[in-house]
């Protein structure tokens, strides 16, 4: 029994000619398996029976790659009329040289489907462009309307400021003349509102008044110019009507204000 047992310290056991690096046997087996699979795929590809469509495609490509010869009746007729291979068609020699390519419809759609699809895509794009154009025009109109409203609001505020200035000037000039009451209620600037009740009453009176701030300013300006020869925009009281007409630009004073 001792003779049959292996000696683990002998040279025959230690000096074994094999690659004992970690992972090497596994890597070798993976490569061998991969090569076997590649060979099997090649074999299957050669032995695989081609489908009818593939056979038709190969036959078609083979036929299209062969130039027409005299055995073709159409080509023979062209040769009789003086045509040479590689020469453009037509009397003036400006026609095509290569035959019209054969375009196979690989899908299930009918003839004209691609053109219809292309036309619908173009119509969709055109509608999208129109929508963007309309949206842009609406934005521009909104911006212009906003600017117009702001300009109108600024003009209204300027008219109110000019009216208050005219009312103050009228009040002062009327008092210097000895008048205790204004010719019209709104000719004089009203005193500061003392409570909510008076404020509400004044707002109701303004609502009942049919004259706008612009109309009041025009009437009051004419009153000051006629009775006191005074121009609110010049801030000057002239000696008489002739002096006012000669030295005051009139309505153009407001443009310089």
């Amino acid at each position: 029994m001792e003779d049959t047992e292996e000696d683990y310290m002998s040279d025959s056991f230690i000096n074994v000619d094999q690659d004992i690096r970690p992972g090497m046997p596994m890597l070798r087996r993976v490569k061998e398996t991969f090569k076997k699979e590649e060979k099997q795929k090649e074999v299957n590809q050669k032995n695989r029976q081609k489908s009818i469509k593939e056979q038709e495609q190969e036959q078609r490509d083979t036929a299209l790659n062969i130039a027409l010869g005299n055995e073709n009746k159409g080509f023979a007729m062209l040769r009789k009329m003086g045509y040479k291979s590689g020469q453009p068609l037509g009397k003036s020699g400006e026609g095509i040289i290569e035959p019209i390519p054969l375009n196979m419809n690989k899908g299930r759609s009918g003839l004209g489907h691609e053109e219809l699809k292309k036309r619908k895509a173009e119509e969709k794009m055109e509608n999208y462009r129109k929508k963007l154009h309309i949206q842009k025009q609406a934005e521009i109109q909104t911006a212009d309307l906003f600017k117009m409203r702001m300009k109108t609001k600024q003009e209204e505020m300027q008219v109110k400021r000019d009216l208050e200035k005219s009312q103050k000037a009228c009040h002062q000039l009327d008092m210097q003349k000895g008048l205790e009451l204004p010719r019209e209620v709104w000719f004089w600037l009203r005193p500061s509102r003392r409570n909510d009740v008076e404020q509400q009453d004044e707002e109701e009176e303004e609502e009942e008044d049919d004259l706008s701030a612009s109309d009041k300013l025009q009437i009051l300006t004419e009153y000051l110019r006629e009775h006191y020869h005074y121009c609110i925009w010049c801030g000057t009281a002239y000696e008489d009507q002739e002096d006012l007409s000669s030295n005051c630009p009139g309505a153009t004073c407001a443009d310089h204000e």
Side-chain angles (χ1 to χ4, degrees):
M1 183 142 196
E2 293 178 357
D3 296 337
T4 60
E5 290 181 356
E6 296 182 358
D7 186 3
Y8 293 101
M9 299 300 293
S10 64
D11 294 337
S12 61
F13 187 82
I14 295 174
N15 298 326
V16 177
D17 188 14
Q18 62 180 353
D19 195 349
I20 59 175
R21 287 178 294 175
M24 290 303 296
M26 180 63 69
L27 181 61
R28 188 180 295 110
R29 286 196 296 270
V30 171
K31 288 184 177 179
E32 291 177 356
T33 304
F34 181 74
K35 289 181 179 180
K36 289 180 181 179
E37 290 178 355
E38 289 293 326
K39 289 181 180 180
Q40 187 64 35
K41 286 182 181 179
E42 292 178 359
V43 173
N44 293 339
Q45 187 69 21
K46 292 180 180 179
N47 297 332
R48 186 178 67 87
Q49 185 177 2
K50 296 181 180 179
S51 63
I52 297 177
K53 289 186 178 180
E54 291 177 343
Q55 294 177 8
E56 291 178 350
Q57 182 66 33
E58 288 183 357
Q59 295 175 1
R60 191 182 303 111
D61 294 339
T62 303
L64 291 174
N65 290 329
I66 299 175
L68 295 177
N70 293 328
E71 68 277 2
N72 185 278
K73 294 184 179 180
F75 186 77
M77 293 176 62
L78 290 174
R79 291 288 298 273
K80 289 180 181 180
M81 290 186 289
Y83 174 76
K84 296 180 181 180
S85 181
Q87 179 182 355
L89 295 178
K91 186 176 181 180
S92 58
E94 297 179 355
I96 61 175
I97 299 176
E98 297 295 332
I100 299 175
L102 178 63
N103 296 323
M104 297 295 297
N105 185 11
K106 297 181 179 180
R108 294 186 177 183
S109 57
L111 296 176
H113 177 73
E114 292 298 328
E115 295 181 0
L116 178 62
K117 187 177 179 180
K118 183 179 179 181
R119 186 169 65 252
K120 287 184 177 180
E122 291 176 353
E123 291 177 355
K124 186 177 180 180
M125 180 59 67
E126 184 65 22
N127 293 332
Y128 177 71
R129 290 173 181 170
K130 290 181 179 179
K131 184 178 180 180
L132 286 180
H133 179 70
I134 294 173
Q135 185 177 358
K136 186 176 180 180
Q137 292 295 324
E139 291 176 355
I140 294 174
Q141 291 179 0
T142 303
D144 293 341
L145 183 60
F146 175 75
K147 291 178 181 179
M148 191 182 347
R149 287 179 177 176
M150 290 299 297
K151 183 178 180 181
T152 304
K153 187 175 181 180
Q154 292 176 357
E155 291 175 352
E156 290 177 354
M157 292 176 64
Q158 183 63 41
V159 169
K160 290 182 179 180
R161 287 194 293 267
D162 292 339
L163 179 59
E164 290 180 0
K165 188 192 299 184
S166 301
Q167 289 171 333
K168 291 178 181 179
C170 182
H171 190 184
Q172 184 178 358
L173 294 172
D174 284 345
M175 293 294 292
Q176 290 177 0
K177 194 176 180 180
L179 298 178
E180 296 181 357
L181 294 174
R183 182 174 177 180
E184 296 290 342
V185 177
W186 51 267
F187 270 26
W188 291 0
L189 185 63
R190 296 182 180 181
S192 301
R193 301 177 178 122
R194 290 169 294 184
N195 51 48
D196 295 339
V197 177
E198 291 182 359
Q199 180 179 353
Q200 186 176 0
D201 294 339
E202 291 179 3
E203 290 178 354
E204 292 177 356
E205 290 178 3
E206 290 178 357
E207 291 178 358
E208 294 176 357
D209 195 352
D210 295 334
L211 295 175
S212 63
S214 179
D215 295 335
K216 291 180 179 179
L217 178 61
Q218 183 178 359
I219 295 172
L220 190 53
T221 301
E222 293 177 356
Y223 173 79
L224 293 174
R225 292 173 68 89
E226 180 179 353
H227 290 79
Y228 301 106
H229 313 299
Y230 180 81
C231 177
I232 62 167
W233 291 287
C234 295
T236 306
Y238 295 91
E239 295 181 358
D240 51 24
Q241 189 67 32
E242 183 178 356
D243 186 22
L244 175 65
S245 302
S246 302
N247 298 317
C248 180
T252 56
C253 289
D255 299 333
H256 299 285
E257 181 66 15

